[in-house]
Every structure is written in C-alpha cells, then in structure tokens.
Amino acid sequence: MGELSPAEARSALEEMRGFVNRLEHVVKHAEDIMQDDFEGDPEIARLDREADDNRWKAVRSSPKNVA
C-alpha cells in the first residue's frame, strides 16, 4: 500500500489502461493462433512460430510499448 497524489494516480490509471489495451491485443492474438493451429504439418507450424516470433519482436520494439 502507498499514497499517490492525484497526478500520480492519473498517471497510474493511464498506465493501467495501456496495459489493458495491450492485454486485449494478446488475447485476440492467442485466439487467432488457436484458429490457425497447424499441428498436422510441422513445416507450416515452424513457419507460423517464426512469423509469430517476428510479430512479437516488432511489438516489443515498438516505441508505444517502451515504459
């Protein structure tokens, strides 16, 4: 527990909103991945994982996601 000034509380609230927006994107992305599950073809599964890794690298390196 701690105390926050109104300005600090507003800043924390904005950070939480940003987190919720990013979390919603992750959930949607997970749903999309489940729809395109390629368990039957290892080559397609590998390519899908590589594409997913590249998307995550892009998301993580985006200036919007830097704290």
Side-chain angles (χ1 to χ4, degrees), residues 7-53:
E8 291 168 328
R10 174 78 49 208
S11 178
L13 179 61
E14 291 303 317
E15 290 295 323
M16 285 187 248
R17 284 184 179 137
F19 170 78
V20 168
N21 289 336
R22 290 189 301 273
L23 180 60
E24 183 177 13
H25 176 76
V26 169
V27 170
K28 173 72 171 105
H29 187 67
E31 290 170 340
D32 292 345
I33 289 171
M34 288 178 62
Q35 289 178 357
D36 297 325
D37 194 358
F38 300 111
E39 290 180 19
D41 188 330
E43 180 65 11
I44 292 175
R46 182 186 64 78
L47 293 171
D48 186 58
R49 281 191 305 275
E50 287 177 9
D52 192 46
D53 288 344

